[in-house]
């Protein structure tokens, strides 16, 4: 039996038992007012930003976890921490799946992909009152915050201390309004149930064929990304399946949350508190802080990392993260790409996630944040350079720009941070991705470089895409 199976077989902890007696029974809230396609697109874009931001939160927490007994843990503690790390990485990968499903919903109704989001720290007013996103290292505060975000509809649960909801927003949209505007939602489930109701209403209003005008070929499917749950959206029924997938993985079916993200965080917090009770010195996380490389436009007073090595690796992480989003944008908004070229884009995004973003995130949380933060390490800041969608619209030009930027990242990796041996495989992965793109650019010879190690293969048919797919055991 696997460690995950053993974990699932454990008796529920005290927190899980308490929540099971009180949660998820209140009547659902009224869905949003969605009277036209533009309002549906606006709400789907908000859902995409939310999934994107939540994914970044989970990755930050996972990157902050210690990875072996050598970091001051007992063997039993290290085994538990490694299990939590795998669970949170898997949950983050499922949030990426949710983000892809939202792109499918957008594409199905004729809209462009939406892969941007506001930079951290996010303004308090960007989302409705019940949603506050923040980068937190692993610990009780982070776990309680994650539980709050993933809680099922109708569950009375407070957010972690310091992250409580702001004043509840008043509904802004009324029937007959033509301008799309934000609407308040208490839970992620409330948001998606409103999207579901909006799709059903607009299918009745316009006709199903008129609502789903997007090209089916633009849908991401398991053929490209090896997620069997990646539903191609072409009608009301498939849209419903995509929304069901998101809700069942996140909050669980109503009253059955134990195996969903919410239940997994409850179980991790229960075990964390048991280990901490047995050893008050137990500290499973590196002392990472949420700090940027550069001031935020919305919060010029945000914390800034000052250690030069940390700043350079964070810059490299953010550039590669931006490249990943550009490749996904191109995949969802492709024009003349062949099936083979779509496969190259999909493979590039997987390589970037597993062989570039992940090792860089792990490395950053080992680097000092600067003398102003004694004993604290940096953390990936997920800074975006364009807070509005930056779409590369023309096929050949897009591929030239992507390959060029990836080569620049590889060169930066080699010249600016050559003293960090951990970057050698990252550099090789970047070169491989650039070469795979360059091979599909007409009349442009591939750059002559020393042969790099082959890129890791994608999961095979029937396997699921996970951030853990190519991780060697600690």
């Amino acid at each position: 039996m696997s460690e995950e199976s053993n974990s699932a077989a454990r008796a529920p902890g005290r927190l899980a038992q308490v929540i099971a007696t009180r949660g998820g029974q209140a009547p659902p809230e009224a869905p949003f007012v969605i009277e036209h396609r533009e309002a549906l697109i606006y709400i789907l874009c908000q859902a995409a930003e939310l999934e994107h931001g939540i994914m970044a939160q989970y990755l930050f927490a996972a990157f902050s976890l210690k990875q072996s007994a050598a970091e001051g843990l007992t063997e039993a503690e290290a085994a538990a921490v490694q299990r939590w790390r795998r669970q949170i990485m898997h949950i983050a990968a499922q949030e990426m799946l949710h983000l892809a499903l939202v792109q499918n919903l957008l594409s199905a109704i004729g809209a462009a992909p939406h892969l941007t989001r506001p930079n951290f720290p996010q303004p308090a007013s960007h989302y409705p009152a019940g949603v506050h996103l923040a980068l937190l290292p692993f610990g009780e505060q982070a776990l309680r915050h994650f539980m709050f975000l993933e809680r099922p509809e109708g569950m009375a649960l407070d957010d972690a201390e310091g992250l409580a909801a702001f004043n509840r927003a008043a509904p802004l949209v009324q029937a007959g309004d033509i301008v799309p505007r934000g609407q308040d939602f208490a839970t992620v489930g409330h948001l998606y149930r409103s999207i579901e109701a909006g799709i059903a209403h607009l299918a009745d209003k316009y006709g199903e064929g008129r609502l789903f005008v997007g090209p089916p070929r633009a849908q991401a499917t398991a053929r490209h990304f090896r997620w069997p749950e990646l539903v191609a959206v072409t009608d009301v029924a498939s849209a419903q399946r995509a929304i069901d997938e998101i809700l069942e993985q996140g909050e669980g079916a109503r009253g059955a949350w134990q195996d969903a993200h919410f239940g997994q965080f409850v179980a991790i917090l229960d075990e964390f508190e048991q280990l901490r009770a047995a050893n008050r010195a137990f500290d499973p996380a590196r002392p990472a802080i949420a700090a940027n490389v550069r001031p935020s436009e919305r919060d010029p007073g945000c914390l800034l990392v000052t250690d030069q090595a940390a700043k350079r690796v964070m810059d490299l992480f953010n550039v590669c993260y931006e490249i990943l989003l550009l490749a996904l944008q191109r995949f969802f908004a492709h024009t003349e790409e062949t099936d083979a070229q779509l496969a190259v884009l999909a493979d590039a995004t997987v390589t970037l996630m597993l062989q570039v973003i992940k090792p860089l995130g792990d490395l950053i949380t080992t680097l000092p944040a600067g003398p102003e933060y004694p004993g604290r390490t940096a953390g990936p800041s997920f800074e975006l350079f364009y807070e509005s969608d930056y779409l590369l619209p023309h096929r050949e030009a897009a591929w030239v720009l992507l390959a060029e930027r990836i080569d620049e990242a590889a060169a930066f990796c080699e010249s600016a941070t050559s003293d960090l041996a951990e970057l050698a495989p990252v550099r090789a992965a970047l070169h491989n991705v650039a070469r795979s793109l360059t091979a599909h650019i007409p009349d442009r010879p591939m750059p002559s470089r020393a042969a790099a190690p082959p890129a890791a293969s994608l999961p095979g048919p029937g396997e699921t895409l996970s951030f853990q797919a190519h991780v060697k055991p600690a």
Side-chain angles (χ1 to χ4, degrees):
M1 182 179 287
S2 68
E3 284 186 317
E4 287 77 3
S5 299
N6 282 324
S7 176
R10 290 190 184 91
R14 181 181 60 83
L15 178 60
Q17 293 174 25
V18 169
I19 290 176
T21 66
R22 73 180 189 188
Q25 301 304 315
E29 299 194 45
F32 300 166
V33 175
I34 299 178
E35 292 288 335
H36 45 74
R37 189 188 306 265
E38 192 64 28
L40 179 58
I41 292 171
Y42 185 92
I43 297 299
L44 282 169
C45 287
Q46 194 167 44
E49 291 184 20
L50 191 60
E51 298 290 359
H52 193 167
I54 289 174
M55 179 190 69
Q57 287 187 120
Y58 294 165
L59 288 175
F60 188 96
F63 290 144
S64 75
L65 279 166
K66 295 174 181 177
Q67 296 192 34
S68 71
E71 294 188 73
L73 304 173
T74 67
E75 291 296 336
E77 289 169 347
V81 171
Q82 289 170 15
R83 185 174 61 254
W84 299 341
R85 175 182 165 82
R86 285 194 296 272
Q87 282 183 271
I88 297 173
M89 283 287 193
H90 182 65
I91 292 171
Q94 288 186 323
E95 295 297 334
M96 176 68 86
L97 165 64
H98 300 175
L99 181 59
L101 287 169
V102 175
Q103 305 311 311
N104 277 356
L105 288 163
L106 280 166
S107 179
I109 62 171
H114 186 70
L115 289 163
T116 190
R117 53 159 183 78
N119 274 320
F120 296 103
Q122 293 189 356
S125 60
H126 185 78
Y127 293 112
V131 180
H132 183 185
L133 302 186
L135 297 175
L136 301 169
F138 180 92
E140 181 179 354
Q141 184 191 30
L143 290 170
R144 290 191 181 278
H145 179 53
F146 299 162
M147 287 164 50
F148 178 80
L149 290 173
E150 299 277 13
R151 72 195 188 283
E153 273 198 273
M155 180 172 287
L157 192 69
D158 292 333
D159 203 348
E161 185 176 353
L163 293 167
F166 304 93
N167 291 332
R168 188 168 175 79
L172 296 174
V173 177
Q174 298 179 358
D177 284 356
I178 193 170
V179 177
R181 300 176 70 180
Q183 299 183 62
D184 191 28
F185 53 92
T187 63
V188 174
H190 182 201
L191 170 66
Y192 279 106
R193 197 164 44 75
S194 297
I195 290 171
E196 174 189 352
I199 288 172
H201 171 65
L202 295 182
D204 288 341
K205 179 179 178 179
Y206 299 134
E208 194 170 14
R210 180 69 177 272
L211 177 61
F212 292 95
V213 294
R217 190 169 177 270
Q219 295 287 306
T221 67
R223 184 164 66 98
H224 299 111
F225 291 100
R226 304 289 192 253
W227 269 310
E229 310 93 338
L230 193 50
V231 177
V233 178
T234 55
D235 54 20
V236 171
S238 53
Q240 177 69 69
R241 290 197 300 274
I243 293 169
D244 286 347
E245 195 66 51
I246 294 171
L247 291 180
E248 288 175 13
Q249 287 187 350
E251 66 175 48
R254 190 165 173 79
W257 47 259
Q258 286 77 6
D259 295 328
H261 297 175
F262 175 79
Q264 291 180 61
F265 286 128
V266 171
I268 291 172
L269 180 55
D270 262 328
E271 189 178 7
F272 169 70
E273 290 182 334
Q274 291 167 18
L275 288 172
R276 193 167 54 177
N279 174 15
R280 299 308 298 178
F282 173 57
D283 186 0
R286 296 164 178 167
I289 61 171
N292 286 1
V293 180
R294 293 169 183 80
S296 165
E297 290 184 7
R298 293 191 177 91
D299 184 6
C302 67
L303 298 180
L304 298 178
V305 168
T306 58
D307 180 83
Q308 289 302 310
K311 288 171 64 176
R312 288 193 172 274
V313 178
M314 289 172 72
D315 268 345
L316 180 61
F317 178 99
N318 289 329
V319 166
C320 294
Y321 168 52
E322 189 91 29
I323 292 168
L324 169 63
L325 296 180
L326 286 173
L328 285 170
Q329 285 267 23
R330 185 65 207 169
F331 180 93
F332 282 103
H334 67 266
T335 50
E336 310 91 34
E337 273 86 355
T338 64
D339 288 344
Q341 288 166 345
L342 289 178
V344 169
L345 284 173
D347 290 358
T349 64
V350 174
T351 299
L352 288 168
M353 284 189 286
L354 299 178
Q355 298 186 37
V356 177
I357 297 299
K358 183 182 179 300
L360 289 177
D362 288 338
L363 175 60
I364 290 168
T365 58
T366 68
L367 301 175
E372 299 88 344
Y373 316 101
R376 305 298 297 273
T377 66
S381 55
F382 294 92
E383 291 169 69
L384 295 178
F385 312 121
Y386 303 94
E387 286 199 19
S388 59
D389 279 313
Y390 175 34
L391 175 65
L392 301 175
H394 310 295
R395 208 290 293 178
E396 183 176 338
W399 285 57
V400 169
L401 268 63
L402 280 170
E404 178 182 285
R405 189 61 168 153
I406 296 168
D407 266 332
E408 288 170 350
F412 181 85
C413 187
E414 187 167 6
S415 64
T417 53
S418 56
D419 55 328
L420 295 171
E422 297 91 337
L423 294 180
V426 172
R427 184 169 63 249
L430 288 169
H431 281 317
N432 276 330
V433 174
R435 288 168 63 85
S436 71
L437 293 170
T438 304
H440 289 268
I441 300 172
D443 302 320
R444 297 179 190 273
M446 293 173 61
S448 57
R449 299 186 184 279
S457 61
L458 283 168
E463 297 179 302
T464 58
L465 175 61
S466 167
F467 283 104
Q468 296 304 304
H470 303 286
V471 181
K472 294 181 181 178

